[in-house]
Amino acid sequence: MTNTEKFFVECVKKGIKDEKIDYIPEELDYKQFYNLCASHSMSVVVFKALENVKDKLLPQFFTALQRSVHRHVMLDVQSEYDINTVLTAFEERGIKHMPLKGYHLKKLYPSTDMRYASDCDVLIDVAQLKTVRALVDELGLATKRHDEHHDIVYYPATKTIFELHKMIFVGPLEKYFGVGFERAHVKEGTAYFYEMDREIFYISILAHSAYHFAEGAGVGIRHLTDIYLYRKAYTLNEEYLDGELEKCGLLQFKRQFEKLSAYFFEDGEADEFTEKLAKHVLESSLFENEGKKSASDVAAQTSQGDEDGKKAKKRTFRRTLFPPKENMQFSYPVLKKHIWLLPIFYFVRWAHVLFIRPKNIGKLKKIGNVEADELQYMKELRGGLGIEGL
């Protein structure tokens, strides 16, 4: 880590513990420091940690960071009001619902604006989908997208987004979680508000991070602050937790991310892999590492005996041009009933990429340009985290 990265981690560590920084490094790279705060969505956390030394900061940096903080604070107040409005309406109308991830996690931070998010993920019952959509219209939310796995709606005036999920996870973990309500119970004092037991919710946090890492080649430090604060807040049944994680295939991921969390926020020991993972996380943004994305995609397709990745590149290239049937059905729900239309919709997809999202063509070139050392790097990270199958 660079000195600026080390100082950034120290600020995050102090901020999530509601403590203050008492020094500013002499050789602080303010541009890199600001980019770290922005790309990891840590502006509010860092700003509050720097409260006692703000007069020592470069004025331009302080002004820019302060603007970002004010924006996040205002948006957090508005989003909290919008979220409570929608969830209250669900409860009053008898709609089964289970808020996910950030709704619960932000309450573990010293202040909720430290973990501001522009969207709220909520699991709903597909049997009540018509009722949900009617209520959404009644509340004045607009529709951004409907697909097989969620409805995305938002308040036009405030831009607060709701992702109304029809299942928690798609893919390998779908078998474990089912739709999601199977792993939950009605919250005490409510009739339709569902929540998971603490161990199961923690597994869902880890699964969310693992999926993002596998799909985006990395995650930001906020995934680590979530893990750290959750473990500090609750005592979990470790034997039961590890047994369930073994079933999910996430036990290794849990151990590595908890080790990294301790390294960042408790001055824990770091082996070679932890240091490599720490560097990778800091070089990522909140949900991905764009520079390593192609290498990660190729690594996911690499099989034994394909050390140079030539076969994996071909598989990745082919998969990009011709996504699996399940992926196409996700993008074009009509294929679920009329799979014979699949060849036609491949042409529809190519036309969409060519004329609407031409930048995606560059992704194909990046796949072919993945170097052997980049591929090996991502294979080591994915293997060390135990997420080769995601």
Side-chain angles (χ1 to χ4, degrees):
M1 287 191 286
T2 66
N3 289 335
T4 298
E5 287 172 335
K6 289 178 182 177
F7 185 63
F8 169 71
V9 172
E10 184 66 17
C11 288
V12 173
K13 172 184 171 181
K14 293 288 188 181
I16 63 173
K17 295 182 179 182
D18 204 17
E19 298 173 356
K20 308 300 177 188
I21 287 285
D22 57 9
Y23 72 100
I24 300 294
E26 290 184 8
E27 301 299 323
L28 183 63
D29 183 334
Y30 277 99
K31 182 177 180 180
Q32 183 187 22
F33 190 38
Y34 182 83
N35 288 338
L36 285 166
C37 293
S39 63
H40 290 266
S41 194
M42 283 286 137
S43 297
V44 179
V45 172
V46 170
F47 185 80
K48 292 187 178 183
L50 292 171
E51 189 174 276
N52 291 348
V53 293
K54 58 186 179 184
D55 293 339
K56 299 179 182 179
L57 294 167
L58 186 71
Q60 299 96 309
F61 168 82
F62 177 77
T63 300
L65 190 64
Q66 190 175 46
R67 284 201 194 103
S68 176
V69 169
H70 287 167
R71 184 175 70 255
H72 281 96
V73 170
M74 288 188 294
L75 290 172
D76 182 64
V77 172
Q78 183 61 59
S79 68
E80 186 172 356
Y81 175 83
D82 291 341
I83 290 166
N84 288 336
T85 297
V86 171
L87 296 184
T88 298
F90 281 177
E91 181 72 16
E92 291 174 347
R93 297 296 179 87
I95 295 172
K96 284 175 64 175
H97 60 288
M98 181 164 64
L100 306 169
K101 299 177 322 206
Y103 174 84
H104 301 282
L105 292 170
K106 68 187 304 180
K107 298 173 185 177
L108 303 180
Y109 288 71
S111 61
T112 58
D113 53 11
M114 286 185 173
R115 199 195 183 280
Y116 163 73
S118 61
D119 61 357
C120 177
D121 296 271
V122 185
L123 179 68
I124 58 169
D125 186 353
V126 291
Q128 296 180 298
L129 188 56
K130 288 184 179 179
T131 305
V132 170
R133 288 177 175 174
L135 180 56
V136 162
D137 290 340
E138 184 180 325
L139 292 172
L141 282 84
T143 299
K144 184 176 182 181
R145 188 171 83 234
H146 289 167
D147 60 44
E148 186 178 358
H149 299 294
H150 48 30
D151 284 9
I152 302 179
V153 298
Y154 64 98
Y155 276 110
T158 63
K159 308 304 180 187
T160 303
I161 299 171
F162 293 85
E163 292 194 10
L164 306 177
H165 293 259
K166 298 163 189 176
M167 60 181 65
I168 298 180
F169 293 108
V170 179
L173 287 175
E174 185 179 342
K175 183 177 180 181
Y176 178 81
F177 279 97
V179 169
F181 287 113
E182 300 93 324
R183 293 283 182 178
H185 57 270
V186 177
K187 180 181 178 182
E188 186 177 350
T190 71
Y192 302 97
F193 185 119
Y194 281 71
E195 62 181 8
M196 302 176 197
D197 289 335
R198 286 173 180 168
E199 288 81 6
I200 302 300
F201 183 75
Y202 186 53
I203 293 172
S204 77
I205 298 171
L206 292 167
H208 176 71
S209 295
Y211 266 115
H212 270 292
F213 199 105
E215 294 175 359
V219 295
I221 199 171
R222 196 175 79 181
H223 288 254
L224 277 301
T225 58
D226 285 348
I227 288 170
Y228 177 76
L229 291 173
Y230 195 84
R231 293 309 316 252
K232 293 289 286 185
Y234 304 115
T235 300
L236 305 180
N237 182 328
E238 296 297 329
E239 184 178 354
Y240 170 74
L241 175 63
D242 286 357
E244 294 301 296
L245 285 165
E246 187 74 56
K247 295 177 187 177
C248 295
L250 291 175
L251 183 56
Q252 189 173 338
F253 184 87
K254 173 249 193 185
R255 288 172 175 165
Q256 294 293 359
F257 259 55
E258 285 187 352
K259 187 188 294 186
L260 180 58
S261 172
Y263 174 54
F264 276 157
F265 310 128
E266 291 291 350
D267 300 321
E269 295 291 326
D271 54 24
E272 184 180 349
F273 182 79
T274 300
E275 289 181 348
K276 179 184 290 188
L277 185 58
K279 183 176 184 295
H280 186 84
V281 166
L282 289 173
E283 290 175 351
S284 304
S285 62
L286 182 57
F287 289 128
E288 69 175 1
N289 187 312
E290 187 177 352
K292 297 290 190 294
K293 179 71 170 66
S294 296
S296 182
D297 290 342
V298 175
Q301 299 297 318
T302 304
S303 57
Q304 194 170 8
D306 183 24
E307 299 305 322
D308 59 3
K310 289 182 179 179
K311 294 179 181 178
K313 288 180 183 180
K314 290 179 181 178
R315 283 193 291 270
T316 307
F317 193 84
R318 188 164 56 246
R319 186 183 178 90
T320 303
L321 286 175
F322 301 96
K325 176 182 68 177
E326 295 76 16
N327 295 45
M328 290 295 289
Q329 288 175 323
F330 178 86
S331 300
Y332 306 102
V334 67
L335 293 174
K336 196 170 184 181
K337 291 184 178 180
H338 303 285
I339 194 60
W340 59 273
L341 292 172
L342 183 60
I344 295 174
F345 274 90
Y346 277 129
F347 283 106
V348 171
R349 180 177 179 275
W350 297 336
H352 178 83
V353 170
L354 184 62
F355 296 108
I356 300 178
R357 303 181 68 182
K359 288 184 179 180
N360 283 356
I361 297 174
K363 294 180 180 179
L364 296 175
K365 295 180 180 179
K366 289 182 180 180
I367 291 170
N369 293 333
V370 170
E371 299 289 343
D373 58 340
E374 293 179 301
L375 178 59
Q376 183 61 31
Y377 173 87
M378 285 310 304
K379 284 170 64 177
E380 289 175 2
L381 276 185
R382 292 172 67 98
L385 291 171
I387 57 172
E388 301 98 320
L390 290 184

